[in-house]
Amino acid sequence: MGTLEQARLWVRQARRIAVLTGAGVSAESGVPTFRDAQTGIWANLRPEDLATEEAFRRNPRRVWDWYAQRRENLRDAQPNAGHAALAEFQQRHPGRMTIITQNVDRLHQKAGSTGVLALHGDLFENRWLHPCLKSDLYGGAGGGCDPAAAEPGRPPYCAECRNLVRPAVVWFGEALPEDALSAAEHAAGTCNLMLVVGTSGVVYPAAGLAHLARDSGAHVVVLNPEPTDLDQAAHLRIAGPSAQWLPLLLAEP
Ligand code: BJW
């Protein structure tokens, strides 16, 4: 049996499927992957030099501008055939597929996927760098300032306490959202099949979900045009772009 045929058989047989996606699933929507070369004034900086609180503190404007540029690039991005194939499968088979994404681009949601577990936050949301001082002073519970009402700037800031607005994404060294991570661990630990799509598999704890699935008895299929750090956890590797192969993998027999 060929690789695709084998994977399609596992899709048909699996009662529960977990899909772990990374930046590559959005590549064919024109979104650069995370470890692609950065361009322009960010050309000689690594993501690790930008996606940390330390980097933001050191140079808030540079990091803010990087995110502003990415938001701008994403505004018109549309889901591709890979996102669509996942969303359509969920619609045809309610409750069978959980999508766990490291992406912050909302393209799975835009394609119509439901219950998406976004492990690394949302590029289009903001929050304060520190818990709002005012909410502490006035007893919390809604007493804090709204980041949307911050003074305009790069980044916007609080006129009273000088707190800075930052994107509501998960930077290196920060904890992942607890609810999303525990739901993802549950999905990975109880699925019969995990599809690992468009991720280099270098960032943890997300990458650990593929090992958890494998150790819990699931079949693991990696779909990626390039080798990944998770290939050794996979039973099967499909070498190719996800917008081309996800529709073939998930189509009805
Ligand atoms: C295609 C394609 C096509 C191209 N079709 N595919 C265990 C071991 C070692 C280290 C650690 C560990 N546990 C934790 C760590 C530390 C750290 C970490 O993992 N470091 C490693 C780099 C070594 N992890 C953390 O710090 C995490 N936090 C944490 O552990 O907290 C602990 C804690 C607990 C309690 C209190 C406090 C702390 C947080 C990780 C956050 C990651 N954040 C980022 C930025 C998000 C915001 C933003 O977008 O700016 O998330 S980093 C970046 O990497 C981003 C991505 O989601 C993530 C993964 O990248 P991804 O998606 O895999 O993209 P690429 O570019 O790497 O790969 C793209 C792939 O697509 C390639 O394979 C291509 O071939 C492929 N491709 N075209 C299909 N058409």
Side-chain angles (χ1 to χ4, degrees):
M1 194 182 294
T3 306
L4 179 65
E5 255 174 282
Q6 176 63 78
R8 279 172 53 78
L9 180 63
W10 287 341
V11 168
R12 283 200 298 281
Q13 289 173 338
R15 268 180 303 110
R16 290 188 192 169
I17 302 174
V19 186
L20 173 66
T21 68
V25 85
S26 299
E28 288 148 283
S29 295
V31 183
T33 64
F34 211 79
R35 284 163 188 81
D36 272 347
Q38 306 289 316
T39 52
I41 54 172
W42 299 283
N44 47 15
L45 293 167
R46 295 173 309 139
E48 289 81 354
D49 298 326
L50 294 161
T52 68
E53 184 177 327
E54 196 200 351
F56 185 75
R57 283 177 187 286
R58 209 181 316 122
N59 196 335
R61 175 167 294 189
R62 180 167 73 185
V63 174
W64 180 262
D65 285 353
W66 183 56
Y67 280 96
Q69 173 78 69
R70 289 174 57 199
R71 284 172 172 170
E72 194 49 41
N73 291 345
L74 262 174
R75 220 163 287 282
D76 297 326
Q78 294 303 321
N80 61 50
H83 298 105
L86 292 168
E88 283 158 19
F89 187 93
Q90 282 189 312
Q91 278 146 23
R92 288 198 308 271
H93 303 277
R96 258 181 87 199
M97 177 183 278
T98 304
I99 296 177
I100 305 164
T101 191
Q102 300 169 80
N103 298 344
V104 295
D105 58 21
R106 292 190 185 170
L107 289 180
H108 285 301
Q109 294 88 334
K110 239 178 166 175
S113 275
T114 50
V116 178
L117 302 172
L119 296 181
H120 292 163
D122 183 335
L123 187 75
F124 295 99
E125 299 273 333
N126 284 322
R127 65 176 178 86
W128 292 114
L129 180 59
H130 306 291
C132 179
L133 202 59
K134 259 186 156 182
S135 47
D136 289 347
L137 288 175
Y138 301 126
C145 319
D146 179 358
E151 296 296 318
R154 292 163 47 207
Y157 63 97
C158 175
E160 279 183 52
C161 57
R162 302 274 142 186
N163 204 353
L164 298 177
V165 171
R166 56 159 281 184
V169 295
V170 180
W171 282 332
F172 286 112
E174 295 181 335
L176 276 61
E178 220 173 289
D179 289 357
L181 181 59
S182 62
E185 284 167 347
H186 178 74
T190 57
C191 67
N192 313 103
L193 172 64
M194 173 173 272
L195 306 177
V196 179
V197 187
T199 178
S200 56
V202 298
V203 173
Y204 282 78
L209 296 168
H211 294 284
L212 173 59
R214 169 110 198 196
D215 293 345
S216 309
H219 287 124
V220 176
V221 175
V222 164
L223 169 47
N224 199 305
E226 304 292 335
T228 80
D229 277 21
L230 290 173
D231 290 357
Q232 80 282 4
H235 295 90
L236 217 64
R237 240 194 75 79
I238 299 176
S242 49
Q244 183 183 332
W245 287 92
L246 278 174
L248 298 173
L249 183 58
L250 299 174
E252 293 301 300

